[in-house]
Amino acid sequence: MSELRVALAQVNPCVGDIAGNSALVRSQCAAADAEGARLVLFPEMVMTGYPIEDLALRGSFQRAAAAAVDALAVNLAADGLGHLTVIVGTLGVAASGRPFNQAAVLRDGEVIARYNKHHLPNYGVFDERRIFAAGEEPCVIDVDAHRIGLAICEDIWVDGGTVAQVADADVDLLAVLNGSPFEEGKGRVRTDLARRRAAEVGAPVAYVNLWGGQDDLVFDGHSFIVGPDGAWLANATGFEDALLVWDLPAADAPTNPGPVVDFASDTEQVYWACVTGLRDYVVKNGFRSVILGMSGGIDSALTAAIAADAIGGDHVVGVSMPSSFSSDHSKDDAADLARRLGADYRVEPIATVVDAFQSQLALEGVADENLQARVRGVILMGISNREGHLVIAPGNKSELATGYATIYDAGSIGGFAPLKDVDKTRVWDLARWRNAWAAERGEVEPIPVNSIEKPPSAELRPGQVDQDSLPPYDLLDEVLDAYVEHAEGREELLARGYDEAVVDRVLQLVDRAEWKRRQYPPGPKVTALAFGRDRRLPITSRWREV
């Protein structure tokens, strides 16, 4: 038995684009064949995109996916690639009509085997138990005298089941097809798990993962191969296409090292996750440009930088909307940001519009402040309607958690919110990292230093700063992390030494802001618990921690 060259095709499919995804698979198979591969692995549900949610229940979609897999097998043979064994994630259907999350094995113009995912996650962002039927049978295939066991994503996260069945089958490789969404720090958890499973089955584990953005999920790729002794054999970079080629050794031969790249820092990965989420939301929904309010503050500056990295600065429209309370430095910083990014920069003063409203409504206090903020939202939406840009919201997770935002204003309206799952202190971290990354490459730092260093302010009244209404952000984010991310209650927070007044104030703000969060745009999930996907609470509830 000789070596078997295996290719892991880390790709970015689009949900519902069955024809485009099929073409993507064919092109990657040709590239793998050119590298001498005999076995090509694709991610979970690559043929349909992932997650497909209730599309899986539509008969027309089921039929289209089935036809596409059959056609793909025939087309690969017509391309002269029939000798390859190609494993693709797709949508299968049981005799009962229930859909399966399935892996199809293609060779010589036919589908030679199918494997249905056994363990269906039903927590966090996943809702698979409602949608799919669970498979029960293992699948082991022979490729050039090598025995290859199959698993799909959650199958290796559950003890027993698939992994135990494959361990009893004396396989030479466990191929795992994945649609594993990004979370900060999750890569280490995945690799530790894969090492344990490789030891259990006594064979290397080849872990191929999707990358790209789908609504409010981001898939990071980071495909890899580990040996049964825990050795790190090969891996691909994240957030980009990759074809990872590795040689499975002959029986009893030592394992072969393959290409190995360093992992990026958590901060860098979070940044590119935000970029990926925004870019794919824009591109996959058919937009070509985005528009946002440029206030000169840190949130809009980082959001604009992310947008420029996602789709190019020349496709970003930044609008400064000064009021009588806007500082000169805010207007200057906004203009400086636009120059650094190469963005289309415009100035639309709001005073005359606000005066028109006030002549009829005569609002005072907070109502007057909110009017100013909402006028800015109206201006952005008006330009969006006129010119076809996607409005993006620069609000961050700390503001969203506490409701520290005017609903329907320039910070919360639009189609997508790149910083929705990024707390305020992390916003500063990402801005500093992005500038440092530019400096290392000899490029212009995209974010003005003044936007990073000055105290954040909505500038809706004279001398206003965020800390007039909120605890210092470093303290606020600590309490929010404990309460929101880790579900600690009031008693636990007080036992940890947090000031009672601070705890009561923060918990009150969070509990009362659920109605605002429900109306916020989607944004990329980058933490273990994101608003919308993971934390779903009733709007109307008498339960309060305080």
Side-chain angles (χ1 to χ4, degrees):
M1 179 174 64
S2 61
E3 292 184 338
L4 175 68
R5 180 156 290 184
V6 182
L8 280 62
Q10 177 177 297
V11 294
N12 181 1
C14 182
V15 164
D17 186 8
I18 295 175
N21 297 338
S22 298
L24 182 63
V25 170
R26 288 176 70 179
S27 67
Q28 289 296 300
C29 286
D33 183 61
E35 294 287 335
R38 298 282 295 175
L39 172 64
V40 190
L41 308 178
F42 286 87
E44 180 176 11
M45 303 207 83
V46 68
M47 295 293 289
T48 60
Y50 183 76
I52 57 173
E53 303 187 69
D54 284 6
L55 277 176
L57 305 175
R58 297 178 67 92
S60 58
F61 192 76
Q62 295 172 357
R63 293 188 293 272
V69 171
D70 291 338
L72 176 63
V74 172
N75 288 331
L76 288 173
D79 293 341
L81 302 173
H83 58 283
L84 297 178
T85 300
V86 179
I87 305 177
V88 294
T90 190
L91 177 67
V93 182
S96 66
R98 286 288 304 282
F100 285 122
N101 184 331
Q102 187 175 90
V105 184
L106 317 180
R107 188 165 64 210
D108 295 328
E110 297 179 344
V111 179
I112 64 168
R114 296 180 188 271
Y115 169 79
N116 298 317
K117 187 175 183 178
H118 289 191
H119 300 287
L120 304 173
N122 204 49
Y123 56 86
V125 303
F126 302 106
D127 191 22
E128 292 200 358
R129 200 175 301 161
R130 179 180 64 84
I131 298 171
F132 297 110
E136 297 177 353
E137 297 300 320
C139 183
V140 177
I141 62 173
D142 291 324
V143 182
D144 295 350
H146 292 265
R147 290 175 58 76
I148 313 298
L150 301 187
I152 300 177
C153 205
E154 188 75 7
D155 289 337
I156 68 167
W157 291 82
V158 178
D159 292 335
T162 305
V163 174
Q165 291 172 331
V166 170
D168 292 339
D170 191 27
V171 297
D172 301 305
L173 177 73
L174 176 60
V176 187
L177 283 57
N178 299 273
S180 181
F182 174 78
E183 292 173 12
E184 183 176 357
K186 188 177 181 181
R188 291 182 288 274
V189 179
R190 285 187 198 136
T191 55
D192 288 346
L193 173 68
R195 285 185 164 108
R196 293 200 306 273
R197 299 312 187 205
E200 288 179 44
V201 301
V205 167
Y207 183 106
V208 60
N209 194 27
L210 291 171
W211 84 276
Q214 176 58 41
D215 298 341
D216 50 358
L217 294 182
V218 177
F219 300 90
D220 54 302
H222 285 119
S223 303
F224 63 87
I225 301 168
V226 293
D229 58 353
W232 192 249
L233 300 176
N235 71 299
T237 54
F239 305 106
E240 64 182 26
D241 286 339
L243 188 66
L244 181 61
V245 177
W246 173 77
D247 292 324
L248 176 64
D252 301 323
T255 54
N256 297 315
V260 173
V261 297
D262 291 335
F263 273 81
S265 69
D266 284 352
T267 299
E268 182 175 352
Q269 289 190 48
V270 168
Y271 185 85
W272 294 119
C274 294
V275 170
T276 299
L278 175 59
R279 183 191 59 245
D280 280 4
Y281 194 88
V282 171
V283 172
K284 291 178 180 180
N285 281 293
F287 290 96
R288 294 187 296 175
S289 56
V290 299
I291 185 170
L292 75 160
M294 284 188 178
S295 67
I298 184 61
D299 295 323
S300 64
L302 179 61
T303 300
I306 288 170
D309 284 332
I311 60 173
D314 56 333
H315 294 281
V316 177
V317 178
V319 185
S320 172
M321 294 169 281
S323 73
S324 57
F325 303 120
S326 297
S327 62
D328 289 339
H329 63 74
S330 291
K331 292 178 278 189
D332 293 343
D333 292 340
D336 186 19
L337 170 70
R339 283 193 296 269
R340 290 167 182 259
L341 299 178
D344 177 351
Y345 180 65
R346 308 176 190 182
V347 179
E348 297 283 353
I350 67 172
T352 56
V353 183
V354 171
D355 289 345
F357 275 100
Q358 284 290 49
S359 66
Q360 180 168 331
L361 300 176
L363 302 175
E364 297 179 352
V366 173
D368 178 37
E369 294 178 20
N370 288 344
L371 172 62
Q372 298 171 61
R374 289 183 179 129
V375 163
R376 292 182 171 122
V378 170
I379 289 172
L380 291 179
M381 290 305 303
I383 298 173
S384 167
N385 290 159
R386 183 179 67 197
E387 301 176 8
H389 315 296
L390 174 70
V391 180
I392 57 175
N396 62 68
K397 190 174 187 177
S398 302
E399 294 173 348
L400 190 59
T402 58
Y404 187 67
T406 302
I407 196 166
Y408 316 128
D409 75 345
S412 62
I413 63 161
F416 201 72
L419 303 180
K420 182 178 182 178
D421 198 28
V422 179
D423 64 33
K424 186 73 169 190
T425 51
R426 202 72 167 116
V427 168
W428 279 303
D429 290 341
L430 295 179
R432 294 187 179 101
W433 174 83
R434 182 61 182 85
N435 275 2
W437 189 71
E440 290 172 2
R441 296 158 61 91
E443 299 172 354
V444 174
E445 296 179 355
I447 300 172
V449 173
N450 197 44
S451 293
I452 298 174
E453 294 182 348
K454 66 186 178 184
S457 170
E459 293 191 332
L460 297 174
R461 63 175 183 265
Q464 182 184 32
V465 294
D466 291 3
Q467 256 59 85
D468 293 339
S469 304
L470 297 173
Y473 277 115
D474 55 351
L475 174 59
L476 173 63
D477 288 344
E478 280 188 21
V479 177
L480 289 174
D481 181 70
Y483 183 52
V484 175
E485 303 272 345
H486 297 98
E488 295 184 25
R490 181 177 186 271
E491 292 183 4
E492 293 163 296
L493 293 168
L494 294 177
R496 290 178 56 181
Y498 290 112
D499 180 78
E500 182 176 15
V502 170
V503 170
D504 288 348
R505 176 62 173 154
V506 172
L507 270 55
Q508 181 186 60
L509 290 171
V510 173
D511 290 347
R512 291 182 175 179
E514 186 66 28
W515 70 279
K516 285 188 177 182
R517 289 191 286 271
R518 291 290 186 95
Q519 301 182 68
Y520 208 77
K525 170 182 163 63
V526 298
T527 69
L529 195 150
F531 291 120
R533 273 283 183 173
D534 303 312
R535 189 178 189 272
R536 297 182 290 272
L537 296 176
I539 297 173
T540 303
S541 172
R542 294 293 179 90
W543 170 255
R544 292 287 184 267
E545 287 283 351
V546 291

